[in-house]
Amino acid sequence: MKKWYAVIGDPIAHSLSPFMHDLWMDEHGVDASYIPVHVKPARLKESFDALKTLGVGGFNITLPHKQAIVPFLDELDETAIIMDAVNTVTFDGQSYKGWNTDGDGFVRSLMTEQIALHEKVLIIGAGGAARGIAFALKRANFHDVSIANRTYQRAEELAAATGSEAITMQDAEKSLGDFRIIIQTTSVGLAEGEALPLSLDQIQPDSLVADIIYTPLETPFLKAAKEKGCRILNGVGMFVYQGAIAFEKWTGIRPDTEKMIHIITDKLGGNYVNR
Ligand code: ATR
């Protein structure tokens, strides 16, 4: 019988996941559909029960349900335990298991660039997104990772949990030239004209600067880094790879990610070649 998958969130209409998964299913000859489901927070439990009753094959979870879904799941993968948040649920016929593919999605995107594991990495921010990335970098064997955050204590806590170094924003600014890979995970500087989370004065032109955001495709932070001569990486790759990891868990098929990054970039009005 035809299988079906879903993404739940509030709001959900803007999600690009149905477009992406449907395309992959078509392309790889998977007889399945993927539908967006608008779920209000107060109805999360009953919506999950409905998905189960109707035979969902697996689903993604987006804001604001990533943490709220956790107590309802039968099992959690280590990635979900670390984050206390789930973006992907698989079903093996017996139990519904939660995973978090965001951090690994980011690292897979990063690995498409010309980088080496020994390079010095700076993560800016110590919130949920930074946590997923810091643990994923550790799993991928990056061994020189520093974390800078406005609230230094949060940087210290995340650094201690992941075997990284905590540094203050001021020290990160001063020593920015030492870092080859800089990852921006805060929501600061999202809007045009807003201040950047830290000054890029000391950055080296050959560094790789990544942002987890993909709308806009080029955040003010990435724009500033590009003007300094840095290579930049926006959040489209992270989005595509977090979905690709979920797709593979559901279907056993590794979907074509490179082509999808082009397609999503085009869809968002960008030009992949000139990114
Ligand atoms: P997410 O799950 O998207 O990472 P979060 O957990 O709320 O969201 O984390 C937001 C991150 O952005 C934090 O690192 C936060 O710094 P604090 O820990 O000091 O709050 C950072 N952030 C948010 N607003 C900021 C600002 N105006 N200046 C600097 N950092 C900011």
Side-chain angles (χ1 to χ4, degrees), residues 191-258:
E192 202 70 52
E194 211 185 332
L196 300 180
L198 87 179
S199 154
L200 296 181
D201 284 352
Q202 301 301 322
I203 205 165
Q204 283 291 318
D206 58 344
S207 312
L208 174 68
V209 177
D211 206 312
I212 61 168
I213 303 293
Y214 58 90
T215 48
L217 285 169
E218 204 168 275
T219 59
F221 190 74
L222 289 184
K223 206 170 272 177
K226 201 166 153 183
E227 279 161 16
K228 292 273 185 187
C230 299
R231 287 186 290 151
I232 60 170
L233 181 69
N234 65 31
V236 173
M238 176 182 184
F239 169 70
V240 169
Y241 280 99
Q242 64 73 34
I245 299 168
F247 188 88
E248 191 176 350
K249 291 193 187 304
W250 295 328
T251 65
I253 295 167
R254 255 188 181 224
D256 186 338
T257 39
E258 204 187 321

Coordinates of all heavy atoms in Angstrom, one line a residue, residues 191-258:
A191 N 17.8 40.7 10.4 CA 17.2 41.7 9.7 C 18.2 42.7 9.2 O 19.2 43.0 9.8 CB 16.2 42.5 10.5
E192 N 18.0 43.2 8.0 CA 18.9 44.2 7.3 C 19.0 45.4 8.3 O 18.1 45.8 8.9 CB 18.2 44.6 6.0 CG 19.1 45.3 5.0 CD 20.0 44.3 4.4 OE1 19.6 43.2 3.9 OE2 21.2 44.5 4.4
G193 N 20.3 45.8 8.5 CA 20.5 47.0 9.3 C 20.7 46.7 10.8 O 21.2 47.6 11.5
E194 N 20.4 45.5 11.2 CA 20.6 45.1 12.6 C 22.1 44.9 12.8 O 22.8 44.5 11.9 CB 19.8 43.8 12.9 CG 19.3 43.7 14.3 CD 18.7 42.3 14.5 OE1 18.2 41.7 13.6 OE2 18.7 41.9 15.7
A195 N 22.5 45.1 14.1 CA 23.9 44.9 14.4 C 24.3 43.4 14.2 O 23.5 42.6 14.3 CB 24.2 45.3 15.8
L196 N 25.6 43.2 13.9 CA 26.0 41.8 13.8 C 26.3 41.3 15.2 O 26.6 42.1 16.1 CB 27.3 41.7 13.0 CG 27.2 42.2 11.5 CD1 28.5 42.1 10.8 CD2 26.1 41.5 10.7
P197 N 26.3 39.9 15.4 CA 26.5 39.4 16.8 C 28.0 39.7 17.2 O 28.2 39.8 18.4 CB 26.3 37.9 16.6 CG 26.3 37.6 15.2 CD 25.9 38.9 14.5
L198 N 28.9 39.9 16.3 CA 30.2 40.3 16.7 C 30.9 41.0 15.5 O 30.5 40.7 14.3 CB 31.1 39.2 17.3 CG 31.9 38.2 16.4 CD1 32.6 37.2 17.3 CD2 31.1 37.5 15.3
S199 N 31.9 41.8 15.8 CA 32.6 42.5 14.7 C 33.5 41.5 13.9 O 34.2 40.7 14.4 CB 33.4 43.6 15.3 OG 34.5 43.9 14.4
L200 N 33.5 41.7 12.6 CA 34.3 40.8 11.7 C 35.6 41.5 11.3 O 36.3 41.0 10.4 CB 33.5 40.5 10.4 CG 32.2 39.7 10.6 CD1 31.6 39.4 9.3 CD2 32.5 38.4 11.3
D201 N 36.0 42.5 12.0 CA 37.3 43.3 11.7 C 38.5 42.4 11.5 O 39.3 42.5 10.7 CB 37.5 44.4 12.7 CG 36.6 45.5 12.5 OD1 35.9 45.6 11.5 OD2 36.6 46.4 13.4
Q202 N 38.6 41.4 12.4 CA 39.8 40.6 12.5 C 39.8 39.3 11.7 O 40.7 38.5 11.7 CB 40.1 40.2 14.0 CG 40.3 41.4 14.9 CD 41.5 42.3 14.5 OE1 42.5 41.8 14.0 NE2 41.3 43.6 14.6
I203 N 38.7 39.1 10.9 CA 38.5 37.8 10.2 C 39.6 37.7 9.1 O 40.0 38.7 8.5 CB 37.1 37.7 9.7 CG1 36.7 36.3 9.5 CG2 36.9 38.5 8.4 CD1 35.2 36.1 9.3
Q204 N 40.0 36.5 8.8 CA 40.9 36.2 7.7 C 40.1 35.9 6.5 O 39.1 35.2 6.5 CB 41.7 34.9 8.0 CG 42.8 35.0 9.0 CD 43.9 35.9 8.4 OE1 44.3 35.7 7.3 NE2 44.5 36.8 9.3
P205 N 40.5 36.5 5.3 CA 39.7 36.4 4.1 C 39.5 35.0 3.6 O 38.5 34.7 2.9 CB 40.5 37.2 3.1 CG 41.7 37.8 3.8 CD 41.7 37.3 5.2
D206 N 40.3 34.0 4.0 CA 40.1 32.7 3.5 C 39.2 31.8 4.4 O 39.1 30.6 4.1 CB 41.5 32.0 3.3 CG 42.3 31.9 4.6 OD1 41.9 32.6 5.5 OD2 43.2 31.1 4.6
S207 N 38.6 32.4 5.4 CA 37.8 31.6 6.3 C 36.5 31.2 5.7 O 36.0 31.9 4.7 CB 37.5 32.4 7.6 OG 38.6 33.0 8.1
L208 N 35.9 30.2 6.2 CA 34.6 29.8 5.8 C 33.6 30.3 6.8 O 33.7 30.0 8.0 CB 34.5 28.3 5.7 CG 33.1 27.7 5.3 CD1 32.6 28.1 3.9 CD2 33.0 26.2 5.5
V209 N 32.6 31.0 6.4 CA 31.6 31.6 7.4 C 30.2 31.0 7.1 O 29.7 31.1 5.9 CB 31.6 33.1 7.3 CG1 30.5 33.7 8.3 CG2 33.0 33.7 7.7
A210 N 29.6 30.3 8.1 CA 28.4 29.7 7.8 C 27.3 30.3 8.7 O 27.5 30.7 9.8 CB 28.5 28.2 8.1
D211 N 26.1 30.3 8.2 CA 24.9 30.7 8.9 C 23.9 29.6 8.8 O 23.8 29.0 7.8 CB 24.4 32.1 8.4 CG 23.6 32.9 9.4 OD1 22.8 32.3 10.1 OD2 23.9 34.1 9.5
I212 N 23.1 29.4 9.9 CA 22.1 28.4 9.8 C 20.8 28.8 9.2 O 19.9 28.0 8.9 CB 21.8 27.8 11.2 CG1 21.2 28.8 12.1 CG2 23.0 27.2 11.8 CD1 20.7 28.3 13.4
I213 N 20.7 30.1 8.9 CA 19.5 30.7 8.4 C 19.5 30.6 6.8 O 20.5 30.6 6.2 CB 19.5 32.3 8.7 CG1 19.5 32.5 10.2 CG2 18.3 33.0 8.0 CD1 18.4 32.1 11.0
Y214 N 18.3 30.4 6.2 CA 18.3 30.4 4.8 C 17.2 31.3 4.2 O 17.1 31.4 3.0 CB 18.1 28.9 4.2 CG 16.9 28.2 4.7 CD1 15.7 28.2 4.0 CD2 17.0 27.4 5.8 CE1 14.6 27.5 4.4 CE2 15.9 26.7 6.3 CZ 14.7 26.8 5.5 OH 13.6 26.1 6.0
T215 N 16.5 32.0 5.1 CA 15.6 33.1 4.6 C 16.0 34.3 5.4 O 15.5 34.4 6.6 CB 14.1 32.8 4.7 OG1 13.9 32.3 6.0 CG2 13.7 31.8 3.7
P216 N 16.7 35.3 5.0 CA 17.2 35.4 3.6 C 18.4 34.5 3.3 O 19.0 34.0 4.3 CB 17.7 36.9 3.6 CG 18.1 37.2 5.0 CD 17.1 36.4 5.9
L217 N 18.6 34.2 2.1 CA 19.7 33.3 1.7 C 21.0 33.9 2.1 O 21.9 33.2 2.5 CB 19.7 33.2 0.1 CG 18.6 32.2 -0.4 CD1 18.6 32.3 -1.9 CD2 18.8 30.8 0.0
E218 N 21.1 35.3 2.0 CA 22.4 35.9 2.5 C 22.0 36.8 3.6 O 21.5 37.9 3.4 CB 23.0 36.7 1.3 CG 24.4 36.9 1.4 CD 25.1 37.4 0.1 OE1 25.4 36.5 -0.7 OE2 25.2 38.6 0.0
T219 N 22.3 36.4 4.8 CA 22.0 37.2 6.0 C 23.1 38.4 6.0 O 24.1 38.3 5.4 CB 22.2 36.4 7.3 OG1 23.6 35.9 7.3 CG2 21.3 35.2 7.4
P220 N 22.8 39.4 6.8 CA 23.7 40.5 6.9 C 25.1 40.0 7.3 O 26.1 40.5 6.9 CB 23.1 41.5 7.9 CG 21.6 41.2 7.7 CD 21.5 39.8 7.4
F221 N 25.1 39.0 8.2 CA 26.4 38.4 8.7 C 27.2 37.8 7.5 O 28.4 38.0 7.4 CB 26.1 37.3 9.7 CG 27.3 36.9 10.5 CD1 27.9 37.7 11.4 CD2 27.8 35.6 10.2 CE1 29.0 37.2 12.1 CE2 28.9 35.2 10.9 CZ 29.5 36.0 11.9
L222 N 26.5 37.0 6.7 CA 27.1 36.4 5.5 C 27.6 37.5 4.5 O 28.7 37.4 3.9 CB 26.2 35.4 4.8 CG 25.9 34.1 5.6 CD1 25.1 33.2 4.7 CD2 27.2 33.4 6.0
K223 N 26.7 38.5 4.3 CA 27.1 39.6 3.4 C 28.4 40.3 3.9 O 29.3 40.5 3.1 CB 25.9 40.6 3.4 CG 25.8 41.4 2.1 CD 24.5 42.2 2.1 CE 23.4 41.4 1.5 NZ 22.1 42.1 1.4
A224 N 28.4 40.5 5.2 CA 29.6 41.2 5.7 C 30.9 40.3 5.6 O 32.0 40.8 5.2 CB 29.4 41.5 7.2
A225 N 30.7 39.0 5.8 CA 31.8 38.1 5.6 C 32.3 38.0 4.2 O 33.5 37.9 3.9 CB 31.4 36.7 6.1
K226 N 31.3 38.0 3.3 CA 31.6 38.0 1.8 C 32.4 39.2 1.4 O 33.4 39.1 0.7 CB 30.3 37.9 1.0 CG 30.5 37.4 -0.4 CD 29.1 37.0 -0.9 CE 28.9 37.1 -2.3 NZ 27.5 36.9 -2.7
E227 N 32.0 40.3 2.0 CA 32.8 41.6 1.7 C 34.2 41.5 2.2 O 35.1 42.2 1.7 CB 32.0 42.8 2.3 CG 30.9 43.3 1.4 CD 29.8 44.1 2.1 OE1 30.1 44.6 3.2 OE2 28.7 44.3 1.5
K228 N 34.4 40.7 3.2 CA 35.8 40.6 3.8 C 36.6 39.5 3.0 O 37.7 39.1 3.3 CB 35.7 40.1 5.2 CG 35.2 41.2 6.1 CD 36.3 42.1 6.6 CE 35.8 43.1 7.6 NZ 36.9 44.1 8.0
G229 N 35.9 38.9 1.9 CA 36.6 38.0 1.1 C 36.5 36.5 1.6 O 37.2 35.6 1.2
C230 N 35.6 36.3 2.5 CA 35.4 34.9 3.0 C 34.5 34.1 2.1 O 33.7 34.6 1.4 CB 34.8 35.0 4.4 SG 35.7 35.9 5.6
R231 N 34.6 32.8 2.2 CA 33.7 31.9 1.6 C 32.5 31.8 2.5 O 32.6 31.9 3.7 CB 34.3 30.4 1.5 CG 35.4 30.3 0.5 CD 35.8 28.9 0.3 NE 36.5 28.4 1.5 CZ 36.5 27.2 2.0 NH1 35.8 26.2 1.4 NH2 37.2 26.8 3.0
I232 N 31.3 31.7 1.9 CA 30.1 31.7 2.8 C 29.2 30.5 2.5 O 29.2 29.9 1.4 CB 29.3 33.0 2.7 CG1 28.8 33.2 1.3 CG2 30.1 34.2 3.2 CD1 27.7 34.4 1.2
L233 N 28.5 30.1 3.5 CA 27.6 28.9 3.4 C 26.3 29.2 4.2 O 26.3 29.5 5.4 CB 28.3 27.7 4.1 CG 27.6 26.4 4.1 CD1 27.5 25.8 2.7 CD2 28.3 25.4 5.1
N234 N 25.2 29.3 3.4 CA 24.0 29.6 4.1 C 23.3 28.3 4.6 O 23.8 27.2 4.5 CB 23.1 30.4 3.1 CG 22.6 29.6 1.9 OD1 22.5 28.4 2.0 ND2 22.4 30.3 0.8
G235 N 22.1 28.5 5.2 CA 21.4 27.4 5.8 C 20.7 26.4 4.9 O 20.1 25.5 5.4
V236 N 20.7 26.7 3.6 CA 20.0 25.8 2.7 C 20.5 24.3 2.8 O 19.7 23.4 2.9 CB 20.0 26.2 1.2 CG1 19.4 25.2 0.3 CG2 19.3 27.6 1.1
G237 N 21.8 24.2 2.8 CA 22.4 22.9 2.9 C 22.0 22.1 4.2 O 21.7 21.0 4.2
M238 N 22.0 22.9 5.3 CA 21.5 22.2 6.6 C 20.1 21.8 6.5 O 19.8 20.6 6.9 CB 21.6 23.3 7.7 CG 21.2 22.8 9.1 SD 21.3 24.1 10.3 CE 20.8 23.2 11.8
F239 N 19.2 22.6 5.9 CA 17.8 22.2 5.7 C 17.7 21.0 4.8 O 17.0 20.0 5.2 CB 17.0 23.4 5.1 CG 15.7 23.0 4.6 CD1 14.7 22.7 5.6 CD2 15.4 22.8 3.3 CE1 13.4 22.2 5.2 CE2 14.1 22.4 2.9 CZ 13.1 22.1 3.8
V240 N 18.4 20.9 3.7 CA 18.3 19.8 2.8 C 18.9 18.5 3.5 O 18.3 17.5 3.4 CB 19.1 20.1 1.5 CG1 19.2 18.9 0.6 CG2 18.3 21.2 0.7
Y241 N 20.0 18.7 4.1 CA 20.6 17.5 4.7 C 19.9 16.9 5.9 O 19.8 15.7 6.1 CB 22.1 17.7 5.1 CG 23.0 17.6 3.9 CD1 23.5 18.7 3.2 CD2 23.4 16.3 3.4 CE1 24.3 18.6 2.1 CE2 24.2 16.2 2.3 CZ 24.7 17.3 1.7 OH 25.5 17.2 0.6
Q242 N 19.3 17.8 6.7 CA 18.5 17.3 7.9 C 17.3 16.5 7.3 O 16.9 15.5 7.9 CB 18.0 18.4 8.9 CG 17.1 19.5 8.3 CD 15.6 19.0 8.1 OE1 15.1 18.2 8.8 NE2 15.0 19.6 7.0
G243 N 16.8 16.9 6.1 CA 15.7 16.2 5.5 C 16.2 14.9 4.9 O 15.5 13.9 4.9
A244 N 17.4 15.0 4.3 CA 17.9 13.8 3.6 C 18.2 12.7 4.6 O 17.9 11.5 4.3 CB 19.2 14.2 2.9
I245 N 18.6 13.1 5.8 CA 18.9 12.0 6.9 C 17.5 11.4 7.3 O 17.4 10.2 7.4 CB 19.6 12.6 8.1 CG1 21.0 13.2 7.7 CG2 19.8 11.6 9.2 CD1 21.7 14.1 8.7
A246 N 16.5 12.2 7.4 CA 15.2 11.7 7.7 C 14.7 10.7 6.6 O 14.2 9.6 6.8 CB 14.2 12.8 8.0
F247 N 14.8 11.2 5.4 CA 14.3 10.5 4.2 C 15.0 9.1 4.2 O 14.4 8.1 3.9 CB 14.7 11.2 2.9 CG 14.1 10.7 1.7 CD1 12.8 11.0 1.2 CD2 14.8 9.8 0.9 CE1 12.3 10.5 0.0 CE2 14.3 9.3 -0.3 CZ 13.0 9.6 -0.7
E248 N 16.3 9.1 4.4 CA 17.1 7.8 4.4 C 16.6 6.9 5.6 O 16.5 5.7 5.4 CB 18.6 8.1 4.6 CG 19.4 6.9 4.3 CD 20.9 7.2 4.3 OE1 21.3 8.3 4.4 OE2 21.6 6.2 4.3
K249 N 16.3 7.5 6.7 CA 15.8 6.6 7.8 C 14.4 6.0 7.4 O 14.1 4.8 7.8 CB 15.6 7.4 9.1 CG 17.0 7.9 9.6 CD 16.9 8.4 11.1 CE 18.2 9.0 11.5 NZ 19.3 8.0 11.4
W250 N 13.6 6.7 6.7 CA 12.3 6.2 6.4 C 12.3 5.2 5.2 O 11.6 4.2 5.2 CB 11.3 7.3 6.0 CG 11.0 8.3 7.0 CD1 10.9 8.1 8.4 CD2 10.8 9.7 6.9 NE1 10.6 9.2 9.1 CE2 10.5 10.3 8.2 CE3 10.7 10.6 5.8 CZ2 10.2 11.6 8.4 CZ3 10.4 11.9 6.0 CH2 10.2 12.4 7.3
T251 N 13.1 5.5 4.2 CA 13.1 4.7 3.0 C 14.3 3.9 2.7 O 14.3 3.0 1.8 CB 12.9 5.7 1.8 OG1 14.1 6.4 1.7 CG2 11.7 6.6 1.9
G252 N 15.4 4.1 3.4 CA 16.6 3.4 3.1 C 17.4 3.9 1.9 O 18.4 3.4 1.5
I253 N 16.8 5.0 1.4 CA 17.5 5.6 0.2 C 18.1 6.9 0.5 O 17.6 7.8 1.2 CB 16.4 5.9 -0.9 CG1 15.8 4.5 -1.4 CG2 17.0 6.6 -2.1 CD1 14.5 4.7 -2.2
R254 N 19.4 7.1 0.0 CA 20.1 8.3 0.2 C 19.7 9.3 -1.0 O 20.1 9.0 -2.1 CB 21.6 8.1 0.1 CG 22.3 8.1 1.4 CD 23.8 8.1 1.3 NE 24.3 8.1 2.6 CZ 25.3 8.9 3.0 NH1 25.9 9.6 2.2 NH2 25.6 8.9 4.3
P255 N 19.0 10.3 -0.7 CA 18.5 11.1 -1.8 C 19.6 12.0 -2.4 O 20.6 12.2 -1.7 CB 17.3 11.9 -1.2 CG 17.7 12.0 0.2 CD 18.5 10.8 0.6
D256 N 19.3 12.6 -3.6 CA 20.2 13.5 -4.2 C 20.2 14.8 -3.6 O 19.2 15.6 -3.8 CB 19.8 13.6 -5.7 CG 20.8 14.4 -6.5 OD1 21.6 15.2 -5.9 OD2 20.9 14.2 -7.7
T257 N 21.2 15.1 -2.8 CA 21.2 16.4 -2.0 C 21.7 17.6 -2.8 O 21.2 18.7 -2.6 CB 22.0 16.2 -0.7 OG1 23.2 15.4 -1.0 CG2 21.3 15.5 0.4
E258 N 22.7 17.3 -3.6 CA 23.3 18.5 -4.3 C 22.3 19.1 -5.2 O 22.1 20.4 -5.2 CB 24.5 18.0 -5.1 CG 25.5 19.2 -5.3 CD 26.6 18.8 -6.2 OE1 27.1 17.7 -6.1 OE2 26.9 19.7 -7.1

